[in-house]
Amino acid sequence: MAALAPELAAFLDAAGLTTRTLAHEAVHTVEESRALRGRITGAHTKNLFLKDKKSRLFLVVAEEGTAVDLKTLHGRIGGQGRLSFAGPDQMRTHLGVEPGSVTAFGTLNDRDGAVRLVLDAALMASDIWNCHPLTNRATTSIARDDLMRFFAATGHEPLVAVLEATTADEPSNGSIR
């Protein structure tokens, strides 16, 4: 990881957090990353960088199979009005990543605390989580409890919420799979 994300590697090492990183070809979507499943065990994440009507920012980290309904998600996470995707400039400024590389580790670069971290309740059952190490050219495996320590060290207390759209939600075509 040190070659791909030196600042993240140094931070994790200084915090005494153990990870395992596998370098691979760039993957931009969950579908593309599924080809790596035989080589990487644990829960695989999908990450959405969103903003609400008042331009508040949310980093949503979900289990890759969770259907997230953007039309109803704001009510689950305290957003004001419907959510939309934040732009590439906001991504670079607040998370320090390029489009296609959004990751839970991006909280390292949110030094002003502008981003609200939201975790999928379903993901909490997994002991090992897989996230990009600030680049989509690798996947880093980290124990859930170590990742929670990482979030605390970056000043981000996560909101854990049920993100899966339910039948009680209004029908929507805004689900992200």
Side-chain angles (χ1 to χ4, degrees):
M1 178 193 313
L4 293 169
E7 186 179 349
L8 175 61
F11 187 91
L12 292 167
D13 188 50
L17 303 175
T18 303
T19 62
R20 189 185 82 234
T21 299
L22 175 68
H24 50 70
E25 292 295 318
V27 293
H28 298 93
T29 66
V30 169
E31 285 303 317
E32 288 178 14
S33 70
R34 287 201 169 114
L36 303 169
R37 292 307 172 265
R39 297 167 31 197
I40 304 172
T41 60
H44 294 270
T45 59
K46 70 176 166 188
N47 305 276
L48 307 172
F49 188 47
L50 306 170
K51 64 180 179 177
D52 70 6
K53 187 167 105 173
K54 296 194 177 209
S55 296
R56 292 186 310 160
L57 299 170
F58 298 86
L59 173 57
V60 176
V61 181
E63 195 281 324
E64 71 176 352
T66 299
V68 179
D69 186 349
L70 292 183
K71 292 183 179 180
T72 61
L73 182 61
H74 67 280
R76 296 168 196 251
I77 66 173
Q80 297 295 311
R82 285 199 180 162
L83 299 166
S84 61
F85 288 97
D89 289 339
Q90 290 174 306
M91 199 176 293
R92 289 180 197 100
T93 299
H94 296 287
L95 301 180
V97 298
E98 295 296 321
S101 296
V102 175
T103 173
F105 289 123
T107 58
L108 176 69
N109 295 313
D110 180 39
R111 292 177 177 87
D112 296 331
V115 178
R116 178 70 168 125
L117 176 63
V118 179
L119 303 179
D120 184 0
L123 196 52
M124 298 304 290
S126 299
D127 293 331
I128 302 294
W129 293 19
N130 294 295
C131 309
H132 290 313
L134 305 178
T135 173
N136 62 0
R137 294 181 296 126
T139 299
T140 296
S141 302
I142 186 169
R144 175 199 56 237
D145 295 344
D146 282 348
L147 190 54
M148 295 308 129
R149 284 190 275 284
F150 170 82
F151 293 144
T154 65
H156 291 82
E157 183 175 335
L159 166 66
V160 178
V162 174
L163 301 181
E164 182 78 44
T166 66
T167 55
D169 293 331
E170 63 186 66
S172 167
N173 291 330
S175 291
I176 305 291
R177 271 240 175 249

